[in-house]
């Protein structure tokens, strides 16, 4: 049964074990040089201090299904039942209890559409119509009033669907507006240019909260009597206007980063302004600004939580409301960890996607 | 009769043209008539206004006085005229200026499809024809960043040719190239000249000027100081400034 080990010819001699595999990785990433080695040791020590007690709290001593009394009796561990017991209110706010399958279905449709749209080879006309149909169905599900669906006042919309609605629409609408503003700011026509400059500087000069406040308190004063514009819509418009100003500046950076020769080559071919922008300039400029754009989109997504200021119950607010219930007071750590994870998953999706896009659009290799 | 004859034959007529950048007088009293099929090489020290001159012909730069008539159309601020002229006048840049986000084939078909409204199939066939002509057809599916400088410049020439231009402008087409790539680009330009293309070339490639140019122009300080057919220009320059310039570049 014994086999003799084949002797290795010289060309099969491997590099030193410390340069490849796990050892190589450790050496290259954690212990290259005394300073990094020191940092690694310190970080490992800190993890060693913090991790066991966190695991003890979050998993070993935690209760998942207990009611609030039992949680209080149990003592030290995490009481995740604050989530499980209130999950429907946290996710859907004041949406009527027995109709909550509708916002749930709307969110599922939205997520499916987003995931499907990740792949650029799916970007066809049919996908565009798919989004139109999807948007209509989502609106219908939330609002009701057609096909025997019971109507639900938009005042009762809340939680996750509201957060996603405000951010997905806010961001998709803000991006084109931002591009137009950036192009306008570069325009040779003085009126357009100064309008865009004033708009951008004005909006960037005020906090989002004040814009939301104005849209909800000041703006209605100017409307004719009896005319009411939906509160969610007003918040949505405020978010779009706000985000667009930031997008505009980022896109302008991309436009300026392009070589002057690209404009000249396009012009020399006889392309007009709109063709030049659409076919030559914007595809390149927008590619350059993917990383800063995504930063803005991520922060805008998180900023939607500021709509609490005008009494909209987004995901964060419904969570906070749960915590004001005397039964569940004092479990804020668990509740906030939960919403933080939802926010994190969404933001991670965005940044992950942006890296994928960058890789796919890189034509320099 | 004779005058109409010359007028018909002239494809570019520049008359008493001046241009300023702010207060700086870059082009002074330019008069130049280019006939169909004529090949002109423009040389001169840097900053002499030679690039600016040919960039005025497709209005990448605007002139302030005098007139430029290209193929019977006067260059004014009328955008429609400018776009029409740009489609007739091909331009090749020092730094190639290919569109890096498009494949070679897409670079070539973009103009015909969007400006000339050529059907995609036909535009692609034309593009492949010209890619063959500049001997680079096998790279059609690649992106500009994957090609060498010389290859990129040949693609840039093919891109201009796809628009079926009447005039080709070359703005220092070989000065950004590594020395061993200059020849492959010049060869393409020479074969273009053999086909009878009207060409205005800003270049210091004196060999090229000698072999294909009908006329050589020398510019300095924004003026055309001297013009002559190549042999006389190189052997018996009239102007002191020209002599100095030639002695410097030919040594």
């Amino acid at each position: 049964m014994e086999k003799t080990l084949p002797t290795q010819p010289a060309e099969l001699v491997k590099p030193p074990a410390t340069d490849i595999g796990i050892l190589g990785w450790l050496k290259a990433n954690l212990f290259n040089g005394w300073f990094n080695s020191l940092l690694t040791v310190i970080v490992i020590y800190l993890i060693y201090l913090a991790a066991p007690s966190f695991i003890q709290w979050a998993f070993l001593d935690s209760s998942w299904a207990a009611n609030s009394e039992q949680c209080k009796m149990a003592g030290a561990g995490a009481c995740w039942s604050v989530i499980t017991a209130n999950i429907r209110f946290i996710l859907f706010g004041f949406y009527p209890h027995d109709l909550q399958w509708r916002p749930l279905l709307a969110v599922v449709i939205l997520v499916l559409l987003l995931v499907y749209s990740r792949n650029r080879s799916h970007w066809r006309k049919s996908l565009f119509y798919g989004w139109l149909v999807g948007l209509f169905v989502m609106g219908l599900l939330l609002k009701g009033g057609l096909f025997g669906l019971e109507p639900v006042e938009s005042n009762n919309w809340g939680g996750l669907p509201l957060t996603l609605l405000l951010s997905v629409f806010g961001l998709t609408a803000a991006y084109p507006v931002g591009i137009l503003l950036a192009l306008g700011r570069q325009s040779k026509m003085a009126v357009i240019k100064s309008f865009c400059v004033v708009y951008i500087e004005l909006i960037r000069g005020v906090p989002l909260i004040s814009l939301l406040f104005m849209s909800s308190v000041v703006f209605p004063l100017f409307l004719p009597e009896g005319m009411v514009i939906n509160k969610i819509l007003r918040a949505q418009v405020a978010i779009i206007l706000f985000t667009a100003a930031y997008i505009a500046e980022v896109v302008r950076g991309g436009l300026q980063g392009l070589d002057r020769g690209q404009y000249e080559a396009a012009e020399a071919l006889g392309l007009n302004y709109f063709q030049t922008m659409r076919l030559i300039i914007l595809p390149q400029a927008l590619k350059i600004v993917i990383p800063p754009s995504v930063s803005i989109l991520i922060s805008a997504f998180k900023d939607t939580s500021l709509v609490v200021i005008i009494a909209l119950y987004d995901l964060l607010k419904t969570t906070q409301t749960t915590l004001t219930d005397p039964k569940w007071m004092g479990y804020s750590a668990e509740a906030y960890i939960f919403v933080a994870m939802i926010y994190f998953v969404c933001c991670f999706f965005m940044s992950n996607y942006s890296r994928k896009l960058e890789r796919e659009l890189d034509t320099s290799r | 009769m004779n005058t109409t004859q010359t007028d018909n034959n002239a494809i570019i007529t520049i008359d008493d043209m001046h241009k300023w950048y702010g207060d700086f007088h870059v082009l002074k009293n330019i008069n130049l008539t280019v006939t169909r099929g004529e090949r002109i090489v423009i040389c001169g020290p840097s900053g002499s206004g030679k690039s600016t001159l040919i960039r005025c012909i497709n209005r990448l730069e605007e002139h302030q006085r005098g007139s430029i008539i290209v193929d019977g159309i006067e260059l004014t601020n009328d955008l429609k005229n400018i776009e029409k002229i740009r489609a007739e006048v091909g331009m090749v840049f020092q730094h190639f200026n290919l569109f890096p986000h498009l494949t070679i084939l897409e670079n070539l078909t973009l103009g015909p499809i969007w400006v000339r409204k050529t059907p995609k199939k036909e535009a692609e066939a034309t593009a492949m024809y010209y890619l063959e002509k500049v001997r680079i057809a096998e790279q059609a599916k690649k992106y500009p960043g994957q090609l060498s400088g010389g290859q990129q410049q040949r693609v840039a020439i093919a891109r201009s040719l796809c628009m079926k231009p009447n005039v080709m402008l070359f703005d220092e087409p070989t000065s950004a190239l590594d020395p061993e790539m200059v020849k492959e680009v010049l060869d393409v330009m020479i074969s273009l000249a053999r086909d009878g293309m009207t060409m205005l070339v800003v270049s210091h490639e004196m060999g090229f000027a000698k072999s294909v140019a009908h006329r050589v122009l020398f510019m300095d300080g924004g003026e055309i100081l001297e013009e002559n057919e190549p042999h006389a220009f190189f052997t018996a320059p009239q102007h002191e400034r020209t002599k100095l310039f030639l002695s410097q570049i030919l040594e």
Side-chain angles (χ1 to χ4, degrees), chain A residues 266-278:
Chain A
E267 285 170 17
L269 278 178
L271 296 173
N272 63 32
Y273 175 81
F274 294 102
Q275 291 168 334
T276 304
M277 286 302 155
R278 203 189 119 203

Side-chain angles (χ1 to χ4, degrees), chain B residues 10-11 25 46 61 67 71 79 100 120 125 127 129 152 157 167 179 195:
Chain B
I11 191 159
H25 203 170
S46 67
E61 306 280 354
S67 70
D71 216 1
L79 272 177
K120 191 167 176 234
Y129 170 77
Q152 289 193 46
I157 294 174
V167 183
D195 295 347

Side-chain angles (χ1 to χ4, degrees), chain B residues 20-40:
Chain B
W20 287 265
Y21 285 129
D23 281 340
F24 181 55
H25 203 170
V26 262
L27 291 176
K28 302 167 189 162
N29 190 25
I30 304 288
N31 291 289
L32 178 67
T33 306
V34 184
T35 54
R36 267 174 219 280
E38 190 172 21
R39 297 184 289 278
I40 295 178

Side-chain angles (χ1 to χ4, degrees), chain B residues 123-164:
Chain B
E124 283 179 353
T126 315
M128 288 314 292
Y129 170 77
Y130 284 112
L131 281 179
E132 295 280 355
K133 210 170 154 69
V134 300
R135 297 186 305 282
I136 211 162
E138 70 284 359
Q139 316 275 18
K141 294 278 174 243
K142 288 195 180 168
Y143 286 93
Q146 298 165 309
L147 304 189
S148 74
Q151 290 174 322
Q152 289 193 46
Q153 192 62 298
R154 285 187 279 150
V155 171
I157 294 174
R159 176 175 70 180
S160 293
L161 291 176
C162 281
M163 293 293 286
K164 308 260 169 68

